Amino acid sequence: MSKVKSESPFSPGLKSNDNTKLPSKTNRLVPPQIVIQEELFHVEKQVEYDGVEMGVLENGVPYLSESGLARMCGVDRKVLNRLAINWTDEKTKERGMAINQMLEKSGYFENELYLKSEHNGTVINAYTEPVCLAILEYYAFVTKEKRDEAINAFRTLARTTFRTFIYQATGYSPDQKVLDSWKHFHDRVDMILDSVPLGYFSVFREIASMIVPMIRAGIMISDRVVPDISVGKAWSSYWTDNNLAATHGERTKYDHEYPLYYPQSKSNPQPAYAYPDSALGEFRGWLRQNYITSKFPNYLINQAKQGKIPAPVANKAIETFYGKALPESKK
């Protein structure tokens, strides 16, 4: 990978990072059994800014790659890699204890120093803000052999925020992500506008009252965050368990299609249930008083665990709904 030479890791010069392949197994710094985890966080955008790899995860969380953080600290990547993969043991040593104290002061108590992430099919170690700042502070001011690179980087970040710096360097726009969320939502509404048979309703169109507050709370609706699947499965079970067909008549199926830019579109059209309009009032009451109350928080928590939604945003979304009294349904 070519580097932009300069005294500071923040001199002008932004270029796309096109060298993201993992080294061969014989050159790996991390033991193979640690490389893969069950859930990988996905990278929205990654660039190399003056030789420092940095990026933003799909959920909007900024990060430095392992090599990027090492360069900012003025240390070899192997030094940082050994610190990270042996973190449990390192926390009992002088360097690790100092870094861990700074992490705990910032409210970071995770077992790992990085998030295992995926970028263009490549597994990377993404170091988020509290970890980067703690390690930078250590090499800038705590260690006996202080690094000029770390001091310069820490001063640069002191003049702005970690998030703002990486957003600007990568050209990432959270406002654009919000616009994209509305586009995903509206495009899907348009796709099923004329597909549902007359006299029936679809789950997706009816949960707009839930999706709109989610977008406003900062949850990015995309092909990876599809709440109607969760709602649809839960409502289908409720419909069957309570034999609602005996009251409202049988449900039917229609062709549900995803926009072409969704990976799910490869299997278009997909059969989905449409329910009799006479059950609409009962569905709305169930959505507010059953799903949002008991199942929706678990959905958001699981999405956060998978890295699809930042935990603070998930909490904000939950508060958005629970901050209001849930009205009684009218039948």
Side-chain angles (χ1 to χ4, degrees):
M1 180 185 300
S2 61
K3 307 287 184 182
V4 179
K5 297 180 180 179
S6 65
E7 295 180 358
S8 165
F10 299 111
S11 63
L14 178 64
K15 62 180 181 178
S16 296
N17 177 33
D18 57 1
N19 186 4
T20 57
K21 297 300 180 184
L22 278 175
S24 64
K25 291 183 179 180
T26 56
N27 293 328
R28 273 187 186 166
L29 298 174
V30 182
Q33 67 270 22
I34 301 178
V35 170
I36 302 298
Q37 62 186 25
E38 287 187 12
E39 294 291 345
L40 294 179
F41 293 85
H42 292 268
V43 172
E44 174 74 18
K45 190 170 186 179
Q46 179 171 295
V47 300
E48 183 182 330
Y49 182 77
D50 193 25
V52 176
E53 284 184 345
M54 60 185 69
V56 182
L57 298 177
E58 188 179 48
N59 55 20
V61 174
Y63 70 88
L64 293 176
S65 72
E66 192 164 83
S67 62
L69 178 56
R71 186 172 192 276
M72 289 179 71
C73 292
V75 300
D76 189 278
R77 181 194 169 194
K78 294 180 181 179
V79 173
L80 182 57
N81 183 264
R82 284 193 293 267
L83 172 70
I85 65 175
N86 299 312
W87 180 234
T88 300
D89 182 54
E90 289 288 341
K91 284 191 291 186
T92 65
K93 301 177 182 179
E94 182 178 358
R95 177 182 58 170
M97 289 178 62
I99 293 173
N100 193 49
Q101 286 178 356
M102 290 182 278
L103 287 173
E104 291 183 348
K105 285 182 180 179
S106 67
Y108 188 94
F109 298 94
E110 302 299 323
N111 295 325
E112 304 288 344
L113 289 180
Y114 54 77
L115 298 177
K116 190 64 69 176
S117 306
E118 177 271 329
H119 179 234
N120 292 338
T122 301
V123 180
I124 67 169
N125 297 338
Y127 292 77
T128 56
E129 180 174 2
V131 178
C132 291
L133 293 182
I135 294 177
L136 273 172
E137 184 174 354
Y138 173 81
Y139 282 109
F141 305 112
V142 179
T143 182
K144 295 177 181 179
E145 298 180 2
K146 299 175 178 55
R147 306 304 202 278
D148 290 338
E149 296 91 339
I151 294 173
N152 292 335
F154 199 89
R155 287 173 177 170
T156 297
L157 292 177
R159 291 192 292 268
T160 182
T161 67
F162 183 87
R163 181 178 297 267
T164 299
F165 173 77
I166 292 186
Y167 277 7
Q168 290 177 348
T170 60
Y172 176 85
S173 171
D175 291 336
Q176 183 60 48
K177 292 293 290 183
V178 173
L179 294 176
D180 289 344
S181 291
W182 288 114
K183 173 179 169 57
H184 279 258
F185 173 61
H186 288 304
D187 284 354
R188 288 196 61 198
V189 170
D190 288 343
M191 291 290 287
I192 65 171
L193 192 60
D194 299 319
S195 300
V196 181
L198 187 65
Y200 294 82
F201 70 89
S202 71
V203 168
F204 177 73
R205 290 199 66 183
E206 286 303 319
I207 64 170
S209 61
M210 187 179 79
I211 291 181
V212 170
M214 288 173 66
I215 296 176
R216 289 175 176 167
I219 293 179
M220 305 307 172
I221 302 299
S222 68
D223 59 275
R224 298 187 66 232
V225 179
V226 189
D228 52 298
I229 293 178
S230 172
V231 179
K233 289 181 178 179
W235 169 247
S236 179
S237 296
Y238 181 84
W239 175 274
T240 303
D241 293 344
N242 291 275
N243 193 24
L244 296 185
T247 303
H248 302 286
E250 296 294 337
R251 57 189 177 178
T252 188
K253 288 188 176 182
Y254 71 99
D255 288 338
H256 182 101
E257 299 201 22
Y258 287 92
L260 294 179
Y261 54 84
Y262 271 60
Q264 294 93 328
S265 67
K266 294 178 181 179
S267 57
N268 280 344
Q270 301 180 15
Y273 280 116
Y275 296 86
D277 281 344
S278 60
L280 187 54
E282 188 156 357
F283 170 79
R284 289 173 177 172
W286 168 87
L287 180 67
R288 292 192 296 264
Q289 299 166 5
N290 186 306
Y291 182 84
I292 290 178
T293 300
S294 62
K295 295 180 173 58
F296 184 56
N298 288 333
Y299 169 80
L300 291 176
I301 290 171
N302 287 332
Q303 294 288 296
K305 286 182 178 178
Q306 296 175 41
K308 298 177 181 179
I309 301 173
V313 173
N315 289 332
K316 182 180 177 182
I318 293 173
E319 291 172 0
T320 297
F321 290 95
Y322 283 84
K324 303 175 183 178
L326 300 177
E328 295 291 329
S329 61
K330 295 180 180 180
K331 296 184 180 179

